[in-house]
Amino acid sequence: MVDDASAPEAVHPTVPLVPMAVPAHQAEARCRSFHDVMAQRRTVRDFAARPLPDGVVEWAVRTASTAPSGAHVQPWRFVVVTDPARKRRLREAAEAEEREFYARRASPEWLAALAPLGTDWCKPFLEDAPAVIVVFEVHKGPDTPRPYYTKESVGIAVGLLLAALHQAGLATLTHTPSPMRFLNEVCERPAEERAAYVIPVGYPADGARVPDLRRKGLEEVMVRM
């Protein structure tokens, strides 16, 4: 006879939670410290040729993989592209899509929203950055289960990836060419994987400049009830 008290453990195995031991009086300071670091994060389009430190990308991807995901399927794949020839192929294919976007696909309203950023179809950062991380959503395939809340799960993971890379002193850019099917060929990924983000990673070039933008204040983004 099976003991009823032990049945849930057998069906749904658990382990003891090891909580973060942060004294209450330090909690706000820890949040503020993290904010102060992340507030310096900016999207960068000009990268130096300086190589990345060993192990940084690997640990950043490990951090991204701690993200919660629907049914714990973890539906993400991080393809790290460093080969110059492959980065050139990636850039050429992305720029072909971007030319179409800026010339025909984007609405006047969308182009007006992009105008303050000074962006166009030319994407040299896809070649200049020492590494480009292409993030794929992993959908149901011969060897992969059906995912749940895929976009939400991958989006959270990418947020952690960007934060981890910024903590390491690296600059990033979140590029989303559309459509992205060409990335399966460039990165040699199966059909069940769908590209979601292209993230150049590196050190900013000397003299790099970024748009003069303002982030919304707390009163604009938070509501207490």
Side-chain angles (χ1 to χ4, degrees):
M1 180 176 177
V2 177
D3 186 336
D4 288 343
S6 63
E9 178 69 20
V11 177
H12 307 291
T14 63
V15 296
L17 173 67
V18 181
M20 286 277 290
V22 178
H25 70 276
Q26 294 181 9
E28 181 182 358
R30 298 259 311 240
C31 281
R32 183 189 294 267
S33 177
F34 184 70
H35 163 268
D36 290 347
V37 171
M38 294 309 301
Q40 298 176 51
R41 190 206 61 78
R42 295 299 305 269
T43 292
V44 171
R45 291 179 170 80
D46 300 303
F47 290 88
R50 179 180 171 189
L52 302 180
D54 291 342
V56 170
V57 170
E58 289 80 359
W59 280 109
V61 171
R62 286 187 179 99
T63 300
S65 295
T66 68
S69 61
H72 195 58
V73 173
Q74 304 165 83
W76 42 65
R77 188 86 66 227
F78 301 88
V79 178
V80 182
V81 182
T82 57
D83 175 65
R86 200 177 294 266
K87 285 193 296 178
R88 175 171 284 278
R89 286 178 57 200
L90 195 162
R91 175 185 176 180
E92 289 172 350
E95 287 184 338
E97 297 295 349
E98 291 293 280
R99 285 192 193 94
E100 286 293 311
F101 171 81
Y102 280 93
R104 280 177 280 277
R105 292 178 188 148
S107 66
E109 182 181 20
W110 197 342
L111 291 176
L114 290 172
L117 304 179
T119 60
D120 58 23
W121 64 266
C122 191
K123 309 298 178 187
F125 47 76
L126 294 175
E127 257 188 294
D128 296 342
V132 178
I133 303 176
V134 184
V135 185
F136 288 83
E137 301 172 356
V138 181
H139 292 262
K140 183 173 174 55
D143 301 306
T144 53
R146 176 185 173 184
Y148 302 91
Y149 299 103
T150 313
K151 292 191 180 300
E152 295 87 344
S153 302
V154 174
I156 296 169
V158 167
L160 290 177
L161 178 71
L162 297 178
L165 292 168
H166 179 68
Q167 291 280 328
L170 297 174
T172 58
L173 177 143
T174 308
H175 180 46
T176 53
S178 180
M180 294 196 197
R181 243 334 151 182
F182 69 89
L183 289 162
N184 285 71
E185 180 180 352
V186 172
C187 298
E188 301 179 18
R189 304 311 305 164
E192 63 268 20
E193 297 187 12
R194 303 176 192 172
Y197 303 86
V198 179
I199 304 173
V201 181
Y203 289 99
D206 291 341
R209 299 181 66 84
V210 294
D212 184 10
L213 303 177
R214 170 191 167 275
R215 290 188 172 100
K216 292 180 178 180
L218 182 66
E219 69 282 357
E220 297 176 89
V221 301
M222 176 176 165
V223 176
R224 261 190 200 279
M225 303 182 72

